[in-house]
Amino acid sequence: MLIESVGSETALASMRGEWDDLLGRSSANGPFLRHAWLSRWWESFGDELDLNILTCREERGGSLLGVAPLYRRATKQRPRAFHSMCLMGDVGVGSVGLSAFAVPELEGDIFSLFRDHLLHDGVGWDVLDLRFMDSEQPFVRSVSTWRRARIASSMRVCPVVALPADWEAYLGGLSKHMRHEVRRSLRRVAERGLELEIVKDESDLPQAFEDFVCLHVSRMREKLGPDYDLAEPQKAFTLGAMTDLLAEGRLRLMFLRTENRRIGVLYLFRYGDTMFAEQSGFDGGEAKQDVLRSLWAKAIEAAIDENCTALNLLLGDQSYKYKWGVTSESKQASIRVYGDSLAASAARARDAWRDLSPGRV
């Protein structure tokens, strides 16, 4: 088998069909590894980064057997730059389940070839900084055995809600208090004449995106302070991702609106039998609990009507998520693998010190 490095956007673009076909057959199959998602990420965040995707083929020009979607980042330090090798999609967009992926029957062999290439034959790097990987994936188990690998002592989680076959069964599984609050919020928004709107037409997306940004920023400013804003790379990525998802029939951009304006939003998308909840927002002048609670209820009911079996609430263990009947959690692992340079040794010692310091995780 042949390991090659893909370093150009043109070469990346040419891989779309075989990339997604391989991903769909792999154990790592998930929306945040899809070619469109990572290509949009590179377009938005790739400035000043070096693309370094590893591929495994039977032979030059042969069938694609494995992909490690990596890039290299340089951080200015004295006496030389410090280089980190990372997984595409790990910054700014809430990706989870990042990984290398391969045909299932050859995973072990291919991940070993990726390891050998990175440790002995690849471009220069000081640290492999691999984040937001599903801890149950074979690639994580492989990397954890690599020389000088260090697994982060804490993991972030994605709460997941298992969805039953009908809405009433779902409501029956919530706490008595939450069930009451959901029904009361739905009643209140109905009494106000608020309507649910789902964006379905591409021509409606530009204005819907602007309204989404305003509502999301309004929510986050209430939470984080008046200076919060979405950076331009995040805006560019999100609009591009929404465009792709809408074209594929996966986007669920849901607004609650009065006759004249949108006052709340949920940005979700479907992949397989799972609905993924990306972001939310609301008008700070509105009754936010009723608005958001009603939107979540309507989104979950719609997912059930689509025969989805799970709602993934993505990164974060915020208490409000668990009120919706979380049944499991996917744990997101981070692993750092240190190279042979002096800078890598210094980073390894620094990370070990941080682990031992009081008050640090």
Side-chain angles (χ1 to χ4, degrees), residues 19 52-55 66-70 87 99-101 114 118 139:
W19 179 302
N52 193 52
I53 300 168
L54 299 185
T55 63
V67 174
L70 298 167
L87 287 163
S99 182
F101 55 94
F114 286 157
L118 287 166
F139 183 64

Side-chain angles (χ1 to χ4, degrees), residues 19 32-33 38 41-42 49-54 67-73 84-93 95-101 114 118 127-134 139-140 143 146 332-335:
W19 179 302
F32 304 103
L33 288 172
L38 294 183
W41 180 87
W42 185 255
L49 305 176
D50 296 320
L51 198 62
N52 193 52
I53 300 168
L54 299 185
V67 174
L70 298 167
Y71 71 93
R72 190 174 68 151
R73 175 193 295 119
S84 302
M85 193 78 78
C86 310
L87 287 163
M88 295 172 67
D90 67 341
V91 173
V93 298
S95 303
V96 297
L98 300 179
S99 182
F101 55 94
F114 286 157
L118 287 166
V127 171
L128 284 172
D129 190 6
L130 309 177
R131 300 185 295 159
F132 304 118
M133 302 184 294
D134 189 324
F139 183 64
V140 173
V143 175
W146 292 7
Q332 301 298 304
S334 296
I335 300 179

